[in-house]
PDB file of all heavy atoms in Angstrom:
ATOM      1  N   LYS I 104      93.223  64.870   5.515  1.00 94.00           N
ATOM      2  CA  LYS I 104      92.013  65.321   6.202  1.00 94.00           C
ATOM      3  C   LYS I 104      92.356  65.651   7.652  1.00 94.00           C
ATOM      4  O   LYS I 104      93.261  65.041   8.227  1.00 94.00           O
ATOM      5  CB  LYS I 104      90.955  64.219   6.170  1.00 94.00           C
ATOM      6  CG  LYS I 104      90.464  63.889   4.788  1.00 94.00           C
ATOM      7  CD  LYS I 104      89.468  62.761   4.838  1.00 94.00           C
ATOM      8  CE  LYS I 104      89.064  62.359   3.437  1.00 94.00           C
ATOM      9  NZ  LYS I 104      88.182  61.189   3.442  1.00 94.00           N
ATOM     10  N   PRO I 105      91.632  66.585   8.253  1.00 92.00           N
ATOM     11  CA  PRO I 105      91.894  66.928   9.660  1.00 92.00           C
ATOM     12  C   PRO I 105      91.844  65.722  10.595  1.00 92.00           C
ATOM     13  O   PRO I 105      92.681  65.592  11.490  1.00 92.00           O
ATOM     14  CB  PRO I 105      90.794  67.940   9.991  1.00 92.00           C
ATOM     15  CG  PRO I 105      90.446  68.557   8.677  1.00 92.00           C
ATOM     16  CD  PRO I 105      90.610  67.457   7.655  1.00 92.00           C
ATOM     17  N   ILE I 106      90.899  64.817  10.390  1.00 93.00           N
ATOM     18  CA  ILE I 106      90.789  63.645  11.269  1.00 93.00           C
ATOM     19  C   ILE I 106      92.023  62.757  11.142  1.00 93.00           C
ATOM     20  O   ILE I 106      92.474  62.149  12.114  1.00 93.00           O
ATOM     21  CB  ILE I 106      89.488  62.846  11.007  1.00 93.00           C
ATOM     22  CG1 ILE I 106      89.292  61.783  12.086  1.00 93.00           C
ATOM     23  CG2 ILE I 106      89.496  62.223   9.629  1.00 93.00           C
ATOM     24  CD1 ILE I 106      89.048  62.304  13.462  1.00 93.00           C
ATOM     25  N   THR I 107      92.603  62.705   9.948  1.00 93.00           N
ATOM     26  CA  THR I 107      93.820  61.920   9.746  1.00 93.00           C
ATOM     27  C   THR I 107      94.981  62.545  10.506  1.00 93.00           C
ATOM     28  O   THR I 107      95.770  61.850  11.153  1.00 93.00           O
ATOM     29  CB  THR I 107      94.155  61.814   8.247  1.00 93.00           C
ATOM     30  OG1 THR I 107      93.044  61.229   7.572  1.00 93.00           O
ATOM     31  CG2 THR I 107      95.404  60.992   8.010  1.00 93.00           C
ATOM     32  N   ARG I 108      95.067  63.870  10.465  1.00 94.00           N
ATOM     33  CA  ARG I 108      96.139  64.584  11.188  1.00 94.00           C
ATOM     34  C   ARG I 108      96.010  64.369  12.697  1.00 94.00           C
ATOM     35  O   ARG I 108      96.991  64.088  13.382  1.00 94.00           O
ATOM     36  CB  ARG I 108      96.078  66.078  10.850  1.00 94.00           C
ATOM     37  CG  ARG I 108      97.289  66.857  11.283  1.00 94.00           C
ATOM     38  CD  ARG I 108      97.233  68.311  10.819  1.00 94.00           C
ATOM     39  NE  ARG I 108      96.858  68.470   9.438  1.00 94.00           N
ATOM     40  CZ  ARG I 108      97.685  68.314   8.398  1.00 94.00           C
ATOM     41  NH1 ARG I 108      98.936  68.015   8.616  1.00 94.00           N
ATOM     42  NH2 ARG I 108      97.255  68.475   7.170  1.00 94.00           N
ATOM     43  N   VAL I 109      94.787  64.464  13.216  1.00 94.00           N
ATOM     44  CA  VAL I 109      94.556  64.258  14.651  1.00 94.00           C
ATOM     45  C   VAL I 109      94.877  62.802  15.027  1.00 94.00           C
ATOM     46  O   VAL I 109      95.511  62.538  16.056  1.00 94.00           O
ATOM     47  CB  VAL I 109      93.106  64.626  15.041  1.00 94.00           C
ATOM     48  CG1 VAL I 109      92.790  64.200  16.463  1.00 94.00           C
ATOM     49  CG2 VAL I 109      92.889  66.124  14.874  1.00 94.00           C
ATOM     50  N   SER I 110      94.453  61.856  14.188  1.00 90.00           N
ATOM     51  CA  SER I 110      94.724  60.438  14.457  1.00 90.00           C
ATOM     52  C   SER I 110      96.217  60.149  14.451  1.00 90.00           C
ATOM     53  O   SER I 110      96.726  59.419  15.306  1.00 90.00           O
ATOM     54  CB  SER I 110      94.025  59.553  13.424  1.00 90.00           C
ATOM     55  OG  SER I 110      92.634  59.684  13.531  1.00 90.00           O
ATOM     56  N   PHE I 111      96.926  60.720  13.489  1.00 90.00           N
ATOM     57  CA  PHE I 111      98.380  60.521  13.428  1.00 90.00           C
ATOM     58  C   PHE I 111      99.037  61.102  14.681  1.00 90.00           C
ATOM     59  O   PHE I 111      99.919  60.481  15.275  1.00 90.00           O
ATOM     60  CB  PHE I 111      98.957  61.158  12.165  1.00 90.00           C
ATOM     61  CG  PHE I 111     100.428  60.954  12.033  1.00 90.00           C
ATOM     62  CD1 PHE I 111     100.936  59.740  11.592  1.00 90.00           C
ATOM     63  CD2 PHE I 111     101.317  61.962  12.372  1.00 90.00           C
ATOM     64  CE1 PHE I 111     102.307  59.534  11.478  1.00 90.00           C
ATOM     65  CE2 PHE I 111     102.690  61.765  12.266  1.00 90.00           C
ATOM     66  CZ  PHE I 111     103.176  60.548  11.820  1.00 90.00           C
ATOM     67  N   HIS I 112      98.600  62.283  15.092  1.00 94.00           N
ATOM     68  CA  HIS I 112      99.126  62.914  16.303  1.00 94.00           C
ATOM     69  C   HIS I 112      98.930  61.984  17.499  1.00 94.00           C
ATOM     70  O   HIS I 112      99.859  61.760  18.290  1.00 94.00           O
ATOM     71  CB  HIS I 112      98.399  64.245  16.533  1.00 94.00           C
ATOM     72  CG  HIS I 112      98.936  65.047  17.660  1.00 94.00           C
ATOM     73  ND1 HIS I 112      99.243  66.378  17.538  1.00 94.00           N
ATOM     74  CD2 HIS I 112      99.223  64.733  18.948  1.00 94.00           C
ATOM     75  CE1 HIS I 112      99.689  66.846  18.698  1.00 94.00           C
ATOM     76  NE2 HIS I 112      99.682  65.854  19.572  1.00 94.00           N
ATOM     77  N   ALA I 113      97.726  61.414  17.619  1.00 90.00           N
ATOM     78  CA  ALA I 113      97.436  60.499  18.727  1.00 90.00           C
ATOM     79  C   ALA I 113      98.338  59.275  18.676  1.00 90.00           C
ATOM     80  O   ALA I 113      98.847  58.820  19.706  1.00 90.00           O
ATOM     81  CB  ALA I 113      95.965  60.089  18.688  1.00 90.00           C
ATOM     82  N   MET I 114      98.535  58.730  17.488  1.00 87.00           N
ATOM     83  CA  MET I 114      99.388  57.539  17.350  1.00 87.00           C
ATOM     84  C   MET I 114     100.830  57.841  17.750  1.00 87.00           C
ATOM     85  O   MET I 114     101.483  57.031  18.408  1.00 87.00           O
ATOM     86  CB  MET I 114      99.353  57.003  15.917  1.00 87.00           C
ATOM     87  CG  MET I 114      98.057  56.388  15.534  1.00 87.00           C
ATOM     88  SD  MET I 114      97.756  54.926  16.546  1.00 87.00           S
ATOM     89  CE  MET I 114      96.301  54.315  15.782  1.00 87.00           C
ATOM     90  N   VAL I 115     101.328  58.994  17.351  1.00 90.00           N
ATOM     91  CA  VAL I 115     102.704  59.374  17.723  1.00 90.00           C
ATOM     92  C   VAL I 115     102.808  59.488  19.238  1.00 90.00           C
ATOM     93  O   VAL I 115     103.770  58.992  19.841  1.00 90.00           O
ATOM     94  CB  VAL I 115     103.130  60.686  17.026  1.00 90.00           C
ATOM     95  CG1 VAL I 115     104.433  61.222  17.609  1.00 90.00           C
ATOM     96  CG2 VAL I 115     103.283  60.471  15.524  1.00 90.00           C
ATOM     97  N   LEU I 116     101.835  60.113  19.876  1.00 90.00           N
ATOM     98  CA  LEU I 116     101.867  60.239  21.335  1.00 90.00           C
ATOM     99  C   LEU I 116     101.789  58.879  22.024  1.00 90.00           C
ATOM    100  O   LEU I 116     102.534  58.610  22.966  1.00 90.00           O
ATOM    101  CB  LEU I 116     100.731  61.133  21.826  1.00 90.00           C
ATOM    102  CG  LEU I 116     100.892  62.620  21.544  1.00 90.00           C
ATOM    103  CD1 LEU I 116      99.660  63.376  22.035  1.00 90.00           C
ATOM    104  CD2 LEU I 116     102.149  63.182  22.187  1.00 90.00           C
ATOM    105  N   LEU I 117     100.888  58.018  21.555  1.00 86.00           N
ATOM    106  CA  LEU I 117     100.780  56.684  22.152  1.00 86.00           C
ATOM    107  C   LEU I 117     102.079  55.899  21.984  1.00 86.00           C
ATOM    108  O   LEU I 117     102.539  55.224  22.912  1.00 86.00           O
ATOM    109  CB  LEU I 117      99.622  55.912  21.518  1.00 86.00           C
ATOM    110  CG  LEU I 117      98.230  56.315  21.990  1.00 86.00           C
ATOM    111  CD1 LEU I 117      97.168  55.684  21.094  1.00 86.00           C
ATOM    112  CD2 LEU I 117      98.021  55.929  23.437  1.00 86.00           C
ATOM    113  N   ALA I 118     102.670  55.984  20.805  1.00 86.00           N
ATOM    114  CA  ALA I 118     103.932  55.277  20.560  1.00 86.00           C
ATOM    115  C   ALA I 118     105.041  55.825  21.457  1.00 86.00           C
ATOM    116  O   ALA I 118     105.846  55.069  22.007  1.00 86.00           O
ATOM    117  CB  ALA I 118     104.328  55.400  19.092  1.00 86.00           C
ATOM    118  N   ALA I 119     105.074  57.146  21.610  1.00 87.00           N
ATOM    119  CA  ALA I 119     106.114  57.773  22.434  1.00 87.00           C
ATOM    120  C   ALA I 119     105.957  57.409  23.907  1.00 87.00           C
ATOM    121  O   ALA I 119     106.942  57.157  24.602  1.00 87.00           O
ATOM    122  CB  ALA I 119     106.072  59.293  22.259  1.00 87.00           C
ATOM    123  N   ILE I 120     104.733  57.370  24.370  1.00 86.00           N
ATOM    124  CA  ILE I 120     104.481  57.078  25.785  1.00 86.00           C
ATOM    125  C   ILE I 120     104.676  55.599  26.090  1.00 86.00           C
ATOM    126  O   ILE I 120     105.282  55.225  27.079  1.00 86.00           O
ATOM    127  CB  ILE I 120     103.057  57.523  26.187  1.00 86.00           C
ATOM    128  CG1 ILE I 120     102.950  59.040  26.125  1.00 86.00           C
ATOM    129  CG2 ILE I 120     102.692  57.003  27.570  1.00 86.00           C
ATOM    130  CD1 ILE I 120     101.526  59.559  26.202  1.00 86.00           C
ATOM    131  N   GLY I 121     104.154  54.741  25.220  1.00 82.00           N
ATOM    132  CA  GLY I 121     104.138  53.313  25.519  1.00 82.00           C
ATOM    133  C   GLY I 121     105.218  52.495  24.867  1.00 82.00           C
ATOM    134  O   GLY I 121     105.452  51.361  25.245  1.00 82.00           O
ATOM    135  N   GLY I 122     105.880  53.028  23.851  1.00 76.00           N
ATOM    136  CA  GLY I 122     106.905  52.259  23.155  1.00 76.00           C
ATOM    137  C   GLY I 122     106.337  51.079  22.380  1.00 76.00           C
ATOM    138  O   GLY I 122     107.013  50.084  22.170  1.00 76.00           O
ATOM    139  N   PHE I 123     105.072  51.190  21.963  1.00 75.00           N
ATOM    140  CA  PHE I 123     104.420  50.107  21.255  1.00 75.00           C
ATOM    141  C   PHE I 123     104.957  49.960  19.843  1.00 75.00           C
ATOM    142  O   PHE I 123     105.425  50.920  19.243  1.00 75.00           O
ATOM    143  CB  PHE I 123     102.909  50.364  21.148  1.00 75.00           C
ATOM    144  CG  PHE I 123     102.229  50.522  22.462  1.00 75.00           C
ATOM    145  CD1 PHE I 123     101.808  51.767  22.895  1.00 75.00           C
ATOM    146  CD2 PHE I 123     102.008  49.428  23.276  1.00 75.00           C
ATOM    147  CE1 PHE I 123     101.172  51.911  24.104  1.00 75.00           C
ATOM    148  CE2 PHE I 123     101.370  49.566  24.494  1.00 75.00           C
ATOM    149  CZ  PHE I 123     100.956  50.810  24.904  1.00 75.00           C
ATOM    150  N   ARG I 124     104.839  48.754  19.305  1.00 70.00           N
ATOM    151  CA  ARG I 124     105.135  48.539  17.894  1.00 70.00           C
ATOM    152  C   ARG I 124     103.982  49.128  17.086  1.00 70.00           C
ATOM    153  O   ARG I 124     102.839  49.112  17.534  1.00 70.00           O
ATOM    154  CB  ARG I 124     105.255  47.054  17.595  1.00 70.00           C
ATOM    155  CG  ARG I 124     106.459  46.433  18.241  1.00 70.00           C
ATOM    156  CD  ARG I 124     106.486  44.960  17.960  1.00 70.00           C
ATOM    157  NE  ARG I 124     107.669  44.385  18.550  1.00 70.00           N
ATOM    158  CZ  ARG I 124     108.420  43.502  17.942  1.00 70.00           C
ATOM    159  NH1 ARG I 124     108.103  43.072  16.752  1.00 70.00           N
ATOM    160  NH2 ARG I 124     109.490  43.033  18.534  1.00 70.00           N
TER     161      ARG I 124
END
Side-chain angles (χ1 to χ4, degrees):
K104 295 178 185 175
I106 190 66
T107 302
R108 193 175 313 280
V109 170
S110 296
F111 182 78
H112 186 131
M114 290 296 186
V115 169
L116 287 178
L117 283 169
I120 293 167
F123 302 106
R124 292 177 178 223

